[in-house]
Amino acid sequence: MSLPFRKELEKYKNINEDEILSKLSEDELKQLEHVLDDLDPENALLPAGFRQKDQTTKPATGPFDRERLLSYLEKQALEHKDREDFVPFTGEKKGKIFIPKEKPIETRTEEKVTLDPELEEALASASDTELYDLAAVLGVHNMVNNPKFDEGGARSKDGKSTVRNVVKGEKVKPIFEEPPNPTNVEASLQRIKANDPSLIEINLNNIKNIPIPTLKEFAKALESNTYVKTFSLAATRSNDPVAIAFADMLKVNKTLKSLNVESNFITGTGILALIDALKENESLTEIKIDNQRQQLGTAVEMEIAKMLEENSKILKFGYQFTKQGPRTRVAAAITKNNDLVRKRRVEGERQ
């Protein structure tokens, strides 16, 4: 069943818009363009007033008088009869007044332990030595700490022996802070630049005041160094620019075997740069990147797993994966690399 207003719309289906527009004059076309610019009924972003023509314009009935308008509204409000209440308001308060319940005060009463008269007499006349032995029999001797017990160590006036320091507190063992890293940063940098043969390992761990440009200089100096095999800069507040500088170093260096950048501020961008640089490195066998300030995320971990699967040189990889998938893939890749090294060693021994 078709609706009545739809029947009226049927006659507009076959209208030729081009024919109607061709009959309009230039002034009418300009006026139509102006109306179409202002009105767009299908644009939901425009207010309702801009989506349709204003049809409320009419001549003013007189000058605007604010006071007269307010007085008229007040008069109309007073003449309008209020609606009667179904329940008349009397001002009476109903219901009970809320009184919070008082919590009962817990009182603990000491239990009186009564023993047989014979036991009370025996305990009253027992010496300290006998009480100590009784504690051992009852299994509470651990509470009585007296490793240097001596019956003749102290005697009272009546000749009975007494126990010294029945309860002896143990001294708290002090925990000393780790000594600061004694590495001389500037001297180590100069020795790397000079390619010192005696400098094999560099440890900058926990030195937090190394400037970022200095760390970049270390990476630049390692590009031409042929003796340093281990470099560690854990907890040095290194960031992505430092990681990218070391990634560029790994593409050139052919001596470094271990790199540690744990506990720093390196994000996924810097970590991926380091891992990607391993494609062009043939010497590095160990790299540690764990415990960064920001979590790397699943996407970065999957990319790390993919890169390590393509690498056959890394034997130790220090990172705790958060997802089972990349963790399993990396563990399989590292195991495969170690097996290859073992097979080469066995073949060398046979020859």
Side-chain angles (χ1 to χ4, degrees), residues 34 117 141 148 251 292 298:
H34 179 70
H141 58 282
K148 297 181 179 181
K251 296 177 182 179
Q292 302 299 329
T298 305

Side-chain angles (χ1 to χ4, degrees), residues 101-128:
K101 296 182 180 179
E102 296 182 358
K103 296 182 179 180
I105 301 174
E106 297 181 359
T107 56
R108 296 182 180 180
T109 57
E110 296 182 358
E111 298 181 0
K112 294 183 179 180
V113 180
T114 57
L115 301 175
D116 295 336
E118 296 179 357
L119 291 176
E120 290 184 356
E121 183 179 356
L123 291 174
S125 60
S127 62
D128 293 340

Side-chain angles (χ1 to χ4, degrees), residues 62-215:
F64 175 72
D65 189 350
R66 182 175 182 276
E67 297 297 333
R68 184 179 177 185
L69 176 61
L70 291 176
S71 60
Y72 172 77
L73 293 176
E74 184 178 357
K75 179 182 178 183
Q76 289 291 328
L78 294 176
E79 292 178 354
H80 182 73
K81 186 178 180 181
D82 294 336
R83 186 182 63 182
E84 296 182 0
D85 295 333
F86 293 103
V87 179
F89 176 73
T90 59
E92 180 183 0
K93 293 183 179 181
K94 298 182 179 181
K96 297 180 180 179
I97 300 175
F98 173 75
I99 301 176
K101 296 182 180 179
E102 296 182 358
K103 296 182 179 180
I105 301 174
E106 297 181 359
T107 56
R108 296 182 180 180
T109 57
E110 296 182 358
E111 298 181 0
K112 294 183 179 180
V113 180
T114 57
L115 301 175
D116 295 336
E118 296 179 357
L119 291 176
E120 290 184 356
E121 183 179 356
L123 291 174
S125 60
S127 62
D128 293 340
T129 304
E130 293 172 345
L131 291 175
Y132 187 79
D133 294 338
L134 179 60
V137 171
L138 295 176
V140 294
H141 58 282
N142 291 331
M143 297 176 61
V144 182
N145 186 4
N146 189 16
K148 297 181 179 181
F149 176 71
D150 185 7
E151 292 184 358
R155 294 186 178 275
S156 58
K157 295 181 180 180
D158 56 358
K160 295 182 179 180
S161 60
T162 59
V163 180
R164 293 179 178 177
N165 298 330
V166 176
V167 179
K168 182 180 179 180
E170 297 180 356
K171 293 183 178 180
V172 179
K173 296 180 181 179
I175 300 175
F176 299 99
E177 296 182 358
E178 294 183 3
N181 193 333
T183 303
N184 190 327
V185 178
E186 293 297 333
S188 300
L189 179 58
Q190 297 303 323
R191 291 177 65 185
I192 293 176
K193 291 181 178 180
N195 204 12
D196 188 353
S198 62
L199 187 62
I200 300 176
E201 180 180 358
I202 296 293
N203 181 8
L204 303 179
N205 294 347
N206 300 317
I207 304 178
K208 303 186 184 300
N209 57 351
I210 304 178
I212 298 299
T214 303
L215 293 174

